[in-house]
Amino acid sequence: MSRLNTFASLALVLAAAHPVHAAQPAPRTPSVADVRATLAAMPRGDVRRGKELNQTLMCASCHGDDGVAPTRNWASLAGQRAAYTYKSLLDYQTGGRHENPRATLMAVAVKDMSRQDMADVAAYYASLPAVAAPAPRLDAAAHARADRLARRGDPARLLTPCASCHGAAGQGGINETPALAGQSVGSFVRTMQDYRAGRRVTDANQGMRQFAERLTAEEIRELAAYYARMGKTGR
Amino acid sequence: MGTLMKSLVFACAALAAAIHPAHAAEPTGEAMAATCAGCHGTQGRLGTVEFMPLAGMAEQEFVRAMQDFRSGKRQATLMGLVAGSFSDGEIEAMARYFAGVKPNAAK
Amino acid sequence: MLNRRNFLKAGAGLALAAAFPARAAAGAGHVVIIGGGVGGATAAKHLKLTNPALRVTVIEANRSYIRPYGSSEVLTGHVGMDDLVVSYDALKSKYGVEFVFDTVTGFDPDRKQVRTAGRQTVAYDKLIVSPGISLQYQAIPGYSAAVAETRAPSGWIPGSQTALLAQQLKAMRPGGTFVIVAPPNPYRCPPGPYERGALVTEWMRRHNPSGKVVILDPKDSFVTDATMQLGWHRLYGYDIPDDYLSDMPADVDNRGKPSPIEWVRAKDGGTTERIDARSLTVTTRGGAVKADVLNIVPPMKAGKLAFDMGLTDASGWCPVDRRTFESSVHKDVFVIGDASIADAMPKSGFAANTQAKVTARAVAAQLAGRAPGEPVWGNTCYALAGSNYGLFVADVFRLKDGKIARVSDQRYLPLDASMAKIRLGAAYQQAWLKTFTEDCFA
């Protein structure tokens, strides 16, 4: 299979008309209907094949053999919703994601992936249990603040609870809404900053931005630690 | 001990020596860390995120990453080659150095 | 122009009006660095990081630096000349490094002073010289600095010749031949001529599809030769020579057809004997090659200043004590970067950067009355076979029996590397251009 991959990749390399850093197309924000249509066309994922691709496509180097990032700067994917992973990979491949230099690396890494490949690795990560990530310990007051935002929101700022889309246990919710349990702190904070600054815009109707920009930097850090500590422990 | 066993032991010892080169004098963690800076930022305090910022990284995280790169367990473009040039003790010394450096806030 | 004897004399007897008196307080002192390239800038920054009490002065002819690494990307329009310019501002404002923008015209190792064209006399406790390379244009009959500036640019030290070469490539007739004359060892940026050939070939596929690149080489091999040729094969249909075939992955399939890039080795007559600038013809041992654009990377030696200061030996490079890079000729004078003789270390920016750090620590230690610590150096050269096809050589170096030796024989991108890894290599190469510049200059 790896031989096959090499040949398929080769054709793509030869066809590549633009160098890595050529001007990127402006990302387009999809509607809820767009996202639904994309996900409705998602092929059925094969967990076993996804596990193989996690190695052969080098995903594991940053995201871990078992979807747990070996260093806390990259995203952990164990327990991630397949719909979210699939849509993210598609966004990277079609030029919708270049919010930071890390996204540039992802665009390069996913270039050869077929939609089936994307569905397969998405299925693999979804099959794995989320694992609690290293995070700064929150004192009781900080934990209470994060927990309140997560489960009750803040009506005064029109902040709906995170849990209403991301689940009470951070397990992810409807459609492409990602799981947050066990997410690495660096990845969580960076993602929120990218939403807040309007650099990341490929979620339906830019729904996440309105929440991210109403949170303080301190609240983002506390939420990052709060969600990082969720998930299976004792690894 | 049988000949096969002997040569196995010898082979293992040779392999261990090859994987974990022993150096008469070891550079300090800081001196070794300086060779990482061309990619990972001065003192590991990288501002961008293509490469991993190393400043403030937990010691265990650094040691495990380098050991996994060295053994090939963790795939890499060239980190396997770099990690293969340092002994366990040297990796630990680098880990201690980086753990003690304040990370770049602009990460 | 001063000859060496006059140069040394010019430095002598000027001590009285020392504008920069040396002062050796506890652990402190004045370190003067000549040359603000990768070696000099990195040394300045690291001296200040190691001991902020040190006074560090860089003497440099130019107000800003033009980086050579990545400069072949100007030829393909991927970056412009402006993108190569690096400012010294951060070294001044962030680290307190002092700059004298001037040319060194005299050197008195006994009085520990250098003199500049602007008639400043600068006294030092320790002197670090990072003079780079000089291109030996005259080593190729028919070639000269004047020809390089007008007809057949080298563009190996970036500047007007780089811009000229880019212009010539764009103006080349359809189906023309871009000839690169590669240099003999040792030279700056070992994979560089071959990367340049690859990038020009890639550019021509889009802009001059019947054009071709011919690399004429006085050598039979080069660093990264196997992985680079594999890239050429995959991207441009280049036929891999028989002696490289046995290690190649199974997708390699020589077609026996002419390819848009050709490498003529010494054993195939690739050694250049002379050039004719008017007709742009290169006469090699194997015959005459007519170029439409002629890019000559001439033989190299240490930068001219190293000769003027008497720091070179018969090889044309600077012998140094390998632990500290202190000159074998003059005490308290250190020579780092391409100009130094560093055994297994290549003449590369990365190598100069790690040499500068080792030497900065050694100099700071000596000034504080301590022995220099155990050195360790590194080098990573990324190279592109195409803008999305990255490869590399990576090494760690240590002192072994008084010489600098590489630790491992595993140095290259494996020949069976996946395309994901190869593309990531290219992305990392682009990232490295930024992070490396930051580590040296900011």
Side-chain angles (χ1 to χ4, degrees):
Chain A
M1 195 203 64
S2 65
R3 165 57 38 78
L4 241 170
N5 262 337
T6 310
F7 282 122
S9 328
L10 199 54
L12 279 162
V13 167
L14 293 172
H18 297 287
V20 175
H21 288 251
Q24 300 282 1
R28 197 178 66 86
T29 297
S31 67
V32 172
D34 293 335
V35 172
R36 274 188 196 148
T38 301
L39 295 180
M42 178 169 89
R44 180 184 292 274
D46 176 340
V47 172
R48 257 185 55 161
R49 191 163 174 274
K51 183 176 181 171
E52 281 175 24
L53 289 173
N54 186 49
Q55 294 298 332
T56 54
L57 298 179
M58 243 183 115
C59 320
S61 183
C62 297
H63 299 292
D65 294 339
D66 47 6
V68 178
T71 36
R72 62 193 70 187
N73 206 39
W74 305 127
S76 280
L77 301 173
Q80 189 49 272
R81 312 259 319 169
Y84 176 77
T85 305
Y86 176 78
K87 183 180 174 301
S88 296
L89 290 167
L90 211 51
D91 285 345
Y92 283 122
Q93 194 180 57
T94 55
R97 292 277 303 269
H98 33 83
E99 66 270 14
N100 59 37
R102 190 189 54 125
T104 308
L105 291 184
M106 276 306 295
V108 166
V110 304
K111 198 165 175 114
D112 294 341
M113 289 179 86
S114 67
R115 296 193 176 202
Q116 185 64 55
D117 293 343
M118 294 180 185
D120 293 346
V121 295
Y124 173 58
Y125 297 134
S127 76
L128 301 163
V131 175
R137 191 169 293 280
L138 295 177
D139 63 30
H143 184 272
R145 279 196 298 273
D147 189 62
R148 194 162 49 242
L149 278 172
R151 304 203 302 162
R152 303 233 173 108
D154 182 358
R157 288 184 282 167
L158 299 179
L159 279 171
T160 49
C162 312
S164 65
C165 290
H166 296 282
Q171 76 276 28
I174 51 163
N175 290 334
E176 89 286 14
T177 318
L180 301 175
Q183 190 49 270
S184 75
V185 170
S187 184
F188 185 103
V189 170
R190 192 170 51 229
T191 301
M192 292 295 270
Q193 286 168 346
D194 286 334
Y195 276 124
R196 191 151 74 154
R199 287 188 294 263
R200 183 164 164 186
V201 296
T202 50
D203 54 324
N205 297 331
Q206 287 195 45
M208 196 57 214
R209 181 176 183 172
Q210 56 182 312
F211 301 114
E213 64 192 5
R214 285 172 207 162
L215 293 168
T216 66
E218 183 62 22
E219 284 170 331
I220 289 175
R221 275 198 298 277
E222 288 171 1
L223 281 168
Y226 176 83
Y227 279 113
R229 291 174 160 274
M230 288 184 174
K232 203 175 76 169
T233 52
R235 182 166 170 265
Chain B
M1 201 188 281
T3 316
L4 178 65
M5 196 63 194
K6 264 186 204 155
S7 49
L8 261 178
V9 168
F10 178 76
C12 289
L15 190 66
I19 295 176
H20 306 289
H23 302 289
E26 288 190 358
T28 62
E30 185 182 8
M32 290 182 283
T35 63
C36 312
C39 298
H40 295 276
T42 304
Q43 299 171 329
R45 303 181 75 226
L46 192 67
T48 55
V49 290
E50 279 109 327
F51 301 109
M52 178 68 59
L54 302 175
M57 183 182 276
E59 276 183 53
Q60 281 172 300
E61 204 171 285
F62 182 92
V63 169
R64 198 183 62 208
M66 289 289 273
Q67 285 176 344
D68 287 352
F69 281 136
R70 194 171 63 182
S71 70
K73 179 174 181 290
R74 183 167 169 192
Q75 286 197 65
T77 49
L78 57 77
M79 275 311 299
L81 306 182
V82 174
S85 297
F86 294 100
S87 69
D88 283 346
E90 290 176 333
I91 287 173
E92 284 158 21
M94 274 189 269
R96 280 192 297 277
Y97 168 77
F98 282 123
V101 181
K102 193 171 173 287
N104 186 338
K107 182 180 73 181
Chain C
M1 199 186 293
L2 292 166
N3 63 27
R4 194 190 139 197
R5 193 185 186 85
N6 288 336
F7 189 95
L8 288 172
K9 236 167 70 185
L14 295 160
L16 296 177
F20 292 80
R23 199 183 49 231
H30 189 198
V31 183
V32 174
I33 298 168
I34 307 179
V38 164
T42 307
K45 173 171 160 177
H46 273 261
L47 281 162
K48 281 297 206 178
L49 280 172
T50 306
N51 181 1
L54 287 172
R55 180 161 173 226
V56 178
T57 303
V58 175
I59 306 178
E60 161 59 44
N62 301 303
R63 295 263 162 185
S64 52
Y65 179 63
I66 307 180
R67 62 170 168 87
Y69 49 93
S71 66
S72 283
E73 292 177 18
V74 171
L75 305 186
T76 57
H78 184 60
V79 298
M81 284 302 292
D82 289 352
D83 296 309
L84 304 182
V85 177
V86 184
S87 162
Y88 291 124
D89 289 352
L91 289 178
K92 294 186 228 171
S93 61
K94 237 168 111 180
Y95 300 96
V97 174
E98 295 170 41
F99 274 77
V100 173
F101 292 109
D102 207 342
T103 313
V104 171
T105 51
F107 167 50
D108 183 344
D110 298 328
R111 291 172 192 270
K112 298 172 80 166
Q113 291 175 340
V114 293
R115 183 161 164 85
T116 70
R119 298 184 166 279
Q120 289 196 63
T121 300
V122 186
Y124 61 82
D125 294 302
K126 302 279 180 190
L127 179 66
I128 299 176
V129 188
S130 187
I133 50 164
S134 55
L135 299 173
Q136 307 293 301
Y137 298 110
Q138 73 291 348
I140 298 174
Y143 200 40
S144 66
V147 170
E149 286 295 335
T150 52
R151 286 289 285 162
S154 107
W156 215 244
I157 296 174
S160 53
Q161 292 181 25
T162 315
L164 175 62
L165 192 57
Q167 256 172 35
Q168 290 179 339
L169 173 61
K170 281 184 192 72
M172 190 172 82
R173 72 174 172 89
T177 305
F178 187 103
V179 173
I180 297 173
V181 174
N185 289 323
Y187 62 97
R188 167 182 283 179
C189 191
Y194 312 92
E195 176 188 74
R196 178 175 284 183
L199 293 176
V200 170
T201 305
E202 183 183 60
W203 183 90
M204 287 199 304
R205 284 171 73 93
R206 293 205 287 279
H207 302 282
N208 190 346
S210 55
K212 63 186 276 192
V213 169
V214 176
I215 303 174
L216 301 174
D217 208 326
K219 310 182 292 300
D220 285 326
S221 62
F222 61 90
V223 77
T224 72
D225 51 8
T227 42
M228 181 63 86
Q229 289 181 89
L230 178 58
W232 293 349
H233 174 83
R234 286 173 169 167
L235 298 169
Y236 317 121
Y238 166 88
D239 273 4
I240 293 175
D242 289 347
D243 49 329
Y244 286 93
L245 272 178
S246 62
D247 299 327
M248 289 292 163
D251 68 290
V252 165
D253 175 23
N254 282 345
R255 305 276 164 80
K257 289 191 198 145
S259 100
I261 183 163
E262 200 185 326
W263 177 43
V264 188
R265 292 180 279 177
K267 64 166 86 163
D268 302 323
T271 307
T272 294
E273 291 183 327
R274 62 180 185 278
I275 68 144
D276 179 55
R278 210 134 70 109
S279 63
L280 294 183
T281 304
V282 182
T283 304
T284 66
R285 287 201 188 140
V289 180
K290 169 88 181 70
D292 292 277
V293 174
L294 179 52
N295 176 207
I296 298 181
V297 186
M300 297 167 206
K301 291 198 187 304
K304 181 176 172 296
L305 188 76
F307 286 88
D308 289 341
M309 293 177 71
L311 296 166
T312 50
D313 69 11
S315 70
W317 304 95
C318 303
V320 294
D321 169 65
R322 306 303 200 270
R323 182 178 289 274
T324 61
F325 281 60
E326 183 163 7
S327 167
S328 312
V329 184
H330 294 300
K331 196 175 163 348
D332 295 324
V333 179
F334 300 75
V335 185
I336 57 172
D338 294 343
S340 63
I341 296 172
D343 310 317
M345 289 189 83
K347 302 195 181 299
S348 73
F350 203 117
N353 167 284
T354 60
Q355 288 166 5
K357 291 168 184 171
V358 168
T359 296
R361 277 194 303 276
V363 163
Q366 285 182 358
L367 287 171
R370 284 183 281 111
E374 184 64 19
V376 57
W377 304 269
N379 178 63
T380 297
C381 292
Y382 283 103
L384 300 174
S387 38
N388 294 312
Y389 196 109
L391 48 104
F392 51 78
V393 54
D395 278 305
V396 173
F397 301 93
R398 296 172 190 263
L399 201 57
K400 208 175 163 190
D401 306 323
K403 290 276 164 71
I404 298 173
R406 68 174 60 93
V407 175
S408 166
D409 288 332
Q410 306 282 318
R411 317 171 60 203
Y412 300 117
L413 175 76
L415 288 164
D416 62 355
S418 68
M419 287 313 303
K421 205 177 261 198
I422 285 166
R423 269 199 309 272
L424 279 171
Y428 286 134
Q429 183 265 2
Q430 291 287 302
W432 176 85
L433 292 175
K434 291 181 289 179
T435 57
F436 181 71
T437 304
E438 245 176 64
D439 186 47
C440 302
F441 295 92

